[in-house]
Amino acid sequence: MKTGCFIPIKVNSTRVPGKNFSLVGGKALYLWVFEVVKAARDEGAFDFVVVDTNAAQFPSDNSSNLLDDVEALGFIHHPRKPALAEDTVNGNDLMVHWRQVYPDTDRFFQIFVTGLFLQRGTILRAAEALGRGTCDSVLTMVKRQGWFWFGGSPVNYMPGVLPRSQDSQPVMEETTALYGITKASLDKYRCRIGANLVPIFVDDLEATDIDTLSDLSTSRSIVDSGVYADWLA
């Protein structure tokens, strides 16, 4: 069974220009995830790692550094099709495309560099879970406890029967850092999540996703303060 890890990186970013190349702790954002993916690959989580990027279409120092790092780490450079670099394209579209380009792959993982605190151990747990053959998909999630509403109605409690917050039914939130799915389910559902998923739970720090300038600033503060190093220890 062949397992591939696919990392999408666009040069252009709408909300935070140049986000994937922003410096955090003195190194480019994408390198944080590159390093843990390489470590997980070296421990057998993946047979190969593909970086799907449009960097070659936008020559710059950042683009050159990215492509050099892809080569140095033994990853595969997959040039992003312009049609798949549009803001309307989503993670499912990319998964389906990779399935067509790599037809001999049996398990597809999608990992985003905006989840900079994603850990090697989490990747290994996800790869092991999908590799057992008892589920068709995995994804990283965080549990949220509290009182949640959607569309004007409560979703996890009854206001007239108010339990303690610690006894509330947790709501699970995708961290959008990691997804994995079997080839058969990807073919069937054309989606990165199948019908029989296993959540890979992480804590709030590992659930961090760089989506805004505020997220970026907070992550820099965490790294610079030494809190992240203490968390790793």
Side-chain angles (χ1 to χ4, degrees), residues 14 30 42 47 49 64 67 95 111 120 129 144 149 163 176 183 195 210 216:
T14 303
Y30 68 82
D42 292 348
D47 294 295
V49 179
S64 296
L67 296 177
M95 278 285 213
I111 293 180
R120 173 189 56 83
R144 304 289 188 198
W149 289 61
T176 71
K183 175 171 62 176
I210 305 297
L216 182 60

Side-chain angles (χ1 to χ4, degrees), residues 194-216:
N196 181 25
L197 71 90
V198 166
I200 307 298
F201 290 111
V202 299
D203 64 17
D204 284 338
L205 181 57
E206 195 171 355
T208 300
D209 179 66
I210 305 297
D211 195 39
T212 65
L213 282 171
S214 177
D215 296 331
L216 182 60

